[in-house]
């Protein structure tokens, strides 16, 4: 209403405003993005609207337009950036429609140099004020985050804890700031999700199924718009948890360009982090970093060795998600007749990106049989070997290690102790035979003999216990030897094993196959789990 009243007061008495064009979007938006909103009614503006900026420019080019000139409060109200303002002014000028402003003199004839100078200064000042305000606001937000304060609604797993505003003036007005603190069951759910992902390598879908199986223990997240609430977990909600760095205890801001690019993700280099951990972490920083790295490598891959849900899927592949091309992308399995192979096809596997393979190479192939054969040799040398039985044998008990170093075993110590006690009793009996029955010394010998007999009873029990333990150790040694022999023969049957079982085995040993740069060579690496 202020803008309209000022425009009415600035026009000559013989002029009349015949139509009204206005937008409610930001004046910093590009012209083709303005005027498409439909929520004007909720602003309760008591001025009839004949259209937005696009409608104004379109009507200005027709001879049947309803107006001869256009007036605004200031050119900053036409556009907040000079480029868009000049575009509007030039379009109106092409249609023969002058643009006037309340804070500028209205002239229909005479020189325009002074008017143009004044307008350009006003436009430059307006753009400067907008940019300066945005930069100051951005600086305040960054400082707010670096000090560990939260912005917006607390994320799932946390709740907001309110603090008195550190600025006394703002504190007197009742203003506060918020930090994050764990939210009981939801916090435990976040930690459980990360545990499943890191230690079991589960995919988003499998994790969501586990969570949905017990919603009382793992309450689902609630979106800001209650109408969009699903009441259950989805792959996207699990992904949102595992990709949010706030769970590491740091406060993070500017992960998405919410306004300027409609929520597009910003690169990590543009994120704003707190100087130090600001709240209790639900996922350790090292675990979060490793999960993020592995998620990029496994993008698009499902968990487990079950058949794909695709209607044309007829089999599963033992090396699914473990073979990588020299271009860095995962190779996918295929079968032609009886031949199983893995391929990297730039048009499909690299989403049409060019330059990933040298000219003339349309696809890269490697046979599964060749990989399995090389993997069997690797496992036979480092896992399915007699040395493994020796390693298990060494881990199984302390008795063998002691014998290997020439030390006395527990069983032998108790036997020697029993022998010593029996020898002492024999000495006492010999002395008692040579003494007088009523001699106090002879009576003391009988008492010592009885004490030694009590000690013999205790030592005999320990000897029996140690002999039983030695028998069990012997059985364990036999089992370990049999296990070692059976493991040594697994390498010969590896190639013929079912694909689901192979996929589980390769997942446990973290098999990784990476092709070299088109040299018919590949590097196979495994990581054997620690024996416990």
């Amino acid at each position: 209403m202020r803008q309209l009243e000022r425009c009415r007061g600035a026009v000559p008495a013989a002029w009349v405003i015949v139509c009204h064009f206005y937008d409610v979007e930001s004046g910093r938006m590009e012209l083709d993005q303005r005027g498409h909103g439909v929520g004007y009614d909720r602003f309760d503006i008591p001025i009839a609207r004949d259209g937005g900026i696009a409608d104004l420019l379109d009507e200005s080019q027709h001879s049947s337009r309803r107006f001869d000139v256009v007036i605004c409060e200031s050119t900053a109200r036409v556009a907040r950036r000079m480029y868009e303002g000049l575009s509007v002014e030039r379009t109106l000028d092409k249609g023969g429609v002058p643009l006037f402003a309340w804070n500028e003199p209205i002239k229909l004839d005479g020189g325009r140099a002074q008017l143009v100078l004044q307008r350009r200064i006003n436009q430059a000042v307006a753009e400067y004020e907008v940019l300066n305000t945005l930069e100051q606001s951005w600086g305040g937000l960054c400082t707010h985050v670096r000090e560990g304060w939260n912005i917006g609604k607390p994320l799932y797993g946390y709740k907001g804890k309110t603090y008195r505003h550190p600025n006394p003036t703002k504190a007197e007005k009742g203003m506060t700031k918020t930090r994050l603190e764990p939210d009981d069951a939801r916090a435990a759910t976040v930690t459980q999700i990360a545990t499943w992902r890191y230690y079991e390598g589960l995919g988003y879908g499998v994790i969501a199924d586990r969570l949905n199986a017990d919603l009382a223990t793992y309450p689902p997240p609630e979106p800001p718009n209650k109408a969009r609430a699903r009441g259950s977990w989805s792959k996207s909600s699990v992904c949102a948890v595992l990709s949010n760095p706030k769970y590491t205890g740091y406060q993070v801001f500017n992960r998405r360009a919410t306004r300027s690019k409609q929520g597009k993700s910003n690169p990590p280099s543009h994120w704003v982090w707190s100087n130090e951990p600001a709240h209790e972490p639900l996922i350790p920083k090292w675990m979060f970093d490793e999960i993020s790295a592995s998620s990029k490598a496994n993008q698009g891959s499902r968990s487990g060795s079950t058949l794909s849900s695709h209607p044309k899927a007829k089999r599963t592949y033992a090396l699914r998600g473990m073979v990588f091309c020299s271009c860095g992308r995962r190779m996918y399995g295929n079968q032609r007749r009886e031949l199983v192979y893995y391929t990297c096809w730039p048009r499909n596997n690299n989403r049409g990106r060019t330059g990933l393979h040298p000219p003339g190479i349309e696809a890269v192939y490697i046979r599964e049989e060749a990989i399995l054969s090389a993997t069997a040799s690797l496992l036979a040398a480092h896992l399915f070997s007699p040395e493994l039985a020796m390693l298990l044998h060494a881990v199984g008990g302390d008795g063998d290690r002691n014998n290997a170093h020439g030390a006395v075993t527990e069983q032998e110590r108790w036997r020697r102790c029993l022998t010593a006690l029996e020898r002492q009793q024999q000495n006492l009996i010999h002395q008692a035979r040579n003494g007088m029955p009523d001699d106090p010394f002879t009576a003391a010998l009988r008492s010592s003999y009885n004490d030694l007999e009590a000690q013999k009873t205790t030592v005999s029990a320990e000897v029996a216990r140690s002999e039983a333990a030695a028998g069990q150790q012997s059985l364990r040694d036999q089992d370990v030897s049999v296990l070692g022999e059976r493991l040594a023969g697994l390498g010969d049957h590896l190639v013929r094993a079912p694909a689901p079982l192979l996929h589980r085995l390769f997942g446990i040993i973290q098999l990784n196959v990476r092709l070299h740069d088109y040299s018919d060579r590949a590097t196979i690496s495994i990581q054997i789990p620690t024996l416990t």
Side-chain angles (χ1 to χ4, degrees):
M1 291 301 296
R2 183 199 73 244
Q3 297 178 49
L4 178 59
E5 292 302 324
R6 285 183 172 181
C7 291
R8 284 174 177 172
V11 298
W15 293 12
V16 60
I17 297 178
V18 296
C19 50
H20 310 87
F21 297 88
Y22 60 84
D23 294 328
V24 295
E25 294 95 348
S26 170
R28 298 188 71 248
M29 295 176 61
E30 297 182 5
L31 293 179
D32 58 352
Q33 297 178 355
R34 290 169 56 181
H36 301 298
V38 295
Y40 296 95
D41 295 339
R42 62 190 179 95
F43 289 94
D44 195 23
I45 302 175
I47 303 174
R49 182 175 182 271
D50 294 282
I53 186 67
D55 301 308
L56 169 65
L57 297 178
D58 182 66
E59 186 172 346
S60 68
Q61 305 304 306
H62 300 289
S63 58
S64 58
R65 59 177 178 265
R66 293 169 291 172
F67 50 86
D68 296 313
V69 300
V70 174
I71 186 170
C72 58
E73 182 186 30
S74 67
T75 53
R77 293 297 176 180
V78 175
R80 289 289 187 177
R81 296 191 297 186
M82 183 178 291
Y83 176 81
E84 277 73 21
L86 292 175
S87 299
V88 171
E89 188 175 347
R90 181 171 177 80
T91 302
L92 292 175
D93 186 63
K94 287 183 177 180
V97 179
L99 174 64
F100 297 113
W102 166 80
N103 61 346
E104 298 173 3
I106 298 177
K107 296 178 61 178
L108 296 176
D109 53 10
R112 299 180 61 246
Q114 188 65 31
L115 175 62
V116 171
L117 175 61
Q118 181 178 347
R119 176 169 295 179
R120 299 298 176 261
I121 292 175
N122 291 339
Q123 290 173 327
V125 171
E127 185 165 1
Y128 162 78
E129 290 178 349
V130 170
L131 293 177
N132 186 54
T133 301
L134 291 174
E135 290 173 0
Q136 290 181 348
S137 175
W138 173 256
L141 287 174
C142 293
T143 301
H144 180 88
V145 171
R146 292 190 179 102
E147 293 177 351
W149 303 106
N150 184 60
I151 295 179
K153 178 183 177 181
L155 72 164
Y156 179 87
Y158 288 105
K159 56 185 178 181
K161 184 176 181 180
T162 304
Y163 292 83
R164 178 183 174 87
H165 201 288
N167 188 321
T169 303
K170 294 183 178 181
E172 291 178 358
K173 298 179 181 180
M175 300 177 67
T176 60
K177 286 194 172 188
T178 304
R179 292 189 186 275
L180 299 176
E181 62 178 11
D183 187 11
D184 302 332
R186 289 174 172 81
T189 301
V190 172
T191 304
Q192 182 63 71
I193 291 174
T195 301
W196 283 335
R197 180 67 171 179
Y198 181 77
Y199 289 105
E200 300 186 34
L202 300 182
Y204 300 149
V206 177
I207 294 178
D209 292 339
R210 286 193 179 184
L211 297 173
N212 290 328
D214 189 0
L215 293 178
T217 305
Y218 310 116
E222 298 179 358
N225 184 3
K226 302 299 182 181
R228 297 177 54 241
R230 301 177 53 177
S232 62
W233 287 88
S234 63
K235 291 192 291 185
S236 60
S237 56
V238 173
C239 176
V241 169
L242 294 173
S243 60
N244 197 324
K246 285 188 179 181
Y247 290 116
T248 63
Y250 287 85
Q251 193 61 252
V252 187
F253 176 62
N254 196 39
R255 294 174 57 232
R256 294 185 179 273
T258 307
R259 296 183 178 179
S260 60
K261 296 182 180 179
Q262 291 76 46
K264 182 179 179 181
S265 298
N266 289 327
S269 58
H270 293 179
W271 297 358
V272 180
W273 292 69
S274 59
N275 296 326
E276 56 186 15
H279 47 264
E280 181 178 339
L282 302 183
I283 303 176
K285 181 68 165 58
W286 61 267
M287 181 184 291
F288 178 85
D289 293 339
E290 293 192 22
I291 289 176
S292 299
S294 63
S295 296
K296 294 179 181 179
N298 296 329
Q299 186 176 4
S301 178
R302 69 184 188 279
S303 296
S305 56
T306 57
L307 193 66
S308 172
S309 59
H310 194 280
K312 294 185 178 181
K314 298 181 180 180
R315 60 159 297 163
T316 185
Y317 295 91
L319 299 169
R320 178 178 55 80
M322 304 175 187
V323 185
F324 293 82
C325 180
S326 57
C327 68
R329 294 287 298 174
R330 286 183 294 108
M331 305 178 73
Y332 62 91
N334 206 339
Q335 183 177 9
R336 182 172 300 174
R337 297 184 180 88
E338 299 299 327
L339 179 63
V340 178
Y341 59 93
Y342 297 83
T343 182
C344 178
W345 192 20
R347 191 176 67 182
N348 184 23
N349 204 33
N350 293 293
R351 297 180 175 87
R353 291 178 294 175
T354 59
L356 294 176
H357 296 309
I361 297 181
E362 298 182 357
V364 178
Y365 301 90
I366 183 171
R367 294 179 58 180
E368 183 181 76
E369 181 181 1
I371 300 177
L372 292 180
S373 178
T375 303
S377 300
L378 179 64
L379 295 180
H382 297 280
L383 186 59
F384 303 149
S385 63
E387 286 76 10
L388 177 63
M390 296 178 61
L391 178 61
L392 294 173
H393 188 56
V395 175
D398 295 333
D400 291 335
R401 288 200 298 266
N402 290 334
N403 285 336
H405 291 82
V408 179
T409 64
E410 180 184 17
Q411 180 182 4
E412 183 64 22
R413 285 197 301 271
W414 286 118
R415 286 178 176 176
R416 292 183 180 182
C417 182
L418 181 62
T419 301
L421 291 174
E422 292 176 347
R423 184 174 58 254
Q424 293 178 31
Q425 282 184 321
Q426 292 296 329
N427 293 333
L428 292 176
I429 292 175
H430 179 73
Q431 296 181 39
R433 287 176 179 175
N434 298 328
M436 299 299 294
D438 297 333
D439 188 358
F441 178 74
T442 304
L445 292 176
R446 294 193 187 99
S447 177
S448 299
Y449 182 89
N450 294 333
D451 293 340
L452 291 175
E453 186 65 26
Q455 295 181 35
K456 277 181 59 179
T457 302
T458 302
V459 172
S460 298
E462 292 295 337
V463 170
R465 183 192 62 78
S466 62
E467 288 178 349
Q472 295 178 359
Q473 179 64 35
S474 177
L475 293 177
R476 286 198 300 267
D477 294 344
Q478 295 177 8
D479 293 340
V480 168
S481 299
V482 173
L483 176 61
E485 293 175 359
R486 293 182 177 180
L487 285 176
L490 284 180
D492 299 333
H493 305 284
L494 185 66
V495 179
R496 296 187 296 273
L501 293 180
L502 286 177
H503 192 272
R504 290 180 58 188
L505 170 64
F506 294 156
I508 294 174
I509 63 176
Q510 301 182 30
L511 178 69
N512 187 284
V513 182
R514 291 192 176 273
L515 275 66
H516 293 193
D517 292 337
Y518 314 101
S519 59
D520 296 331
R521 296 173 58 201
T523 298
I524 301 177
S525 61
I526 62 174
Q527 183 173 345
I528 301 176
T530 303
L531 290 171
T532 58

